[in-house]
Amino acid sequence: FKVCVCGGAGGIGQPLSLLMGMDPNVGELCIFDLNVAMVPPAGVAADLGHLERKNAVKGYVMEVGKNPIDYLEECLTGCHLVLVPAGVPRKPGMTRDDLFKTNAGIAKGIVEACAKFCPEAVLGMIVNPVNSVVPAMAELYKKKGLDPMKIVGITTLDVVRANKFVGEIAGKNPNYINIPVVGGHAGTTILPLFSQDKIGKTIEAEKIPDLDKHVQNAGTDVVEAKGGKGSATLSMAYAGARFGKSVLAGLSGRKRVECAYCKSEITDLPYFAQKVVFGEGGIVKVLPLGELNEHETKRLEEAKAQLKGEIESGLKYAESESLA
């Protein structure tokens, strides 16, 4: 399969490209980034070109301010999966709204190029705020007559963290823990369903609210631990690659279940994160939430209330924009 990482020379992009380059399902790996990236994409590609894997790696660069649709034809043509760890990180004093305006513009440039050169590809979005960016881009895809289900928000890191933290408390291997995390991908919209896992449900009820918060705030914990010099890049790359591997397994005919944020009808909100089945062509099924306990039911309402406004920002953006 051909995979492209847009933003592939950045803090998440480099380790994500490394991990995708290790996947035997990847035959061709493209690294795309801007000329202001930490290192030139061609350099990342040359470096990854020395791994003991049967894939070809190629770098593509674009000047800041130019339009991806004019530069990415060769890079994106024939792509099956496009991973997008792009956009600016949230800086101190920046509102989510400021962040959304900037990053939606960046995402739109890439999505527009994908719509033209690889409309059948699955787009895994790691552009914050995911809760607003994914609805905005999916609606633009729909407007263009394309499948909005190809635009998928990567929320896998929330699942990875929930599994790890439960493992720590229970003294168990997180590889055998599978906590579904539903809702969205920021703050209170992140809802781990601990009761749906055989190990998760053994944790005492009084520990759950703190554990819930721990999963929600884990990103901030990393930012603080890095002393303002970065955010979660390595764990995000790990989670992004887990998502990417599942998509490629699905495309090759081996179905995989992951949680992801996408267009959804399982609640009264038009976008939601829940378990989905990846198969041939991407998402083949969106799975219901399943049984929730009392704490989770209460939290679901809280998550939905917050998520509703964030989705609306995305839908509003899509109304006033369209893809070339």
Side-chain angles (χ1 to χ4, degrees), residues 2 21 24 40 63 85 95 102 113 117 120 130 134 150 167 177 196 212 214 231 260-261 306 310 315:
K2 180 175 175 178
E63 273 177 49
T95 66
T102 305
F117 301 122
E120 292 299 307
V130 168
V134 168
K150 299 285 188 196
I177 300 170
Q196 293 189 7
D212 196 351
H214 187 23
S231 56
Y261 180 66
Q306 175 64 29
E310 295 178 16
L315 301 184

Side-chain angles (χ1 to χ4, degrees), residues 181-306:
V181 181
V182 303
H185 187 51
T188 53
T189 68
I190 297 170
L191 171 53
L193 303 177
F194 298 111
S195 72
Q196 293 189 7
D197 176 78
K198 59 185 184 308
I199 295 169
K201 71 174 173 210
T202 63
I203 291 168
E204 297 94 326
E206 60 271 15
K207 284 188 183 167
I208 293 292
D210 282 348
L211 188 56
D212 196 351
K213 277 274 183 285
H214 187 23
V215 176
Q216 290 174 44
N217 298 333
T220 311
D221 295 343
V222 175
V223 170
E224 284 169 5
K226 287 191 177 183
K229 290 184 179 167
S231 56
T233 52
L234 300 170
S235 53
M236 184 61 243
Y238 165 82
R242 174 177 149 172
F243 171 93
K245 287 182 171 76
S246 289
V247 171
L248 296 180
L251 293 179
S252 73
R254 299 191 308 281
K255 288 194 170 68
R256 290 282 185 277
V257 175
E258 292 283 353
C259 287
Y261 180 66
C262 61
K263 196 166 174 56
S264 162
E265 291 172 356
I266 64 157
T267 69
D268 48 357
L269 294 179
Y271 288 83
F272 211 73
Q274 65 282 294
K275 285 183 183 174
V276 302
V277 181
F278 284 109
E280 290 173 32
I283 294 176
V284 291
K285 198 171 181 198
V286 176
L287 300 174
L289 290 184
E291 260 184 70
L292 276 59
N293 66 19
E294 196 183 341
H295 167 78
E296 292 160 354
T297 306
K298 196 168 107 246
R299 275 276 289 111
L300 177 63
E301 291 316 306
E302 186 187 322
K304 278 174 22 181
Q306 175 64 29

Side-chain angles (χ1 to χ4, degrees), residues 47 63 66:
D47 203 351
E63 273 177 49
K66 296 274 199 273

Side-chain angles (χ1 to χ4, degrees), residues 306-319:
Q306 175 64 29
L307 185 55
K308 189 173 197 281
E310 295 178 16
I311 293 170
E312 274 162 12
S313 305
L315 301 184
K316 209 157 93 202
Y317 175 89
E319 274 171 25

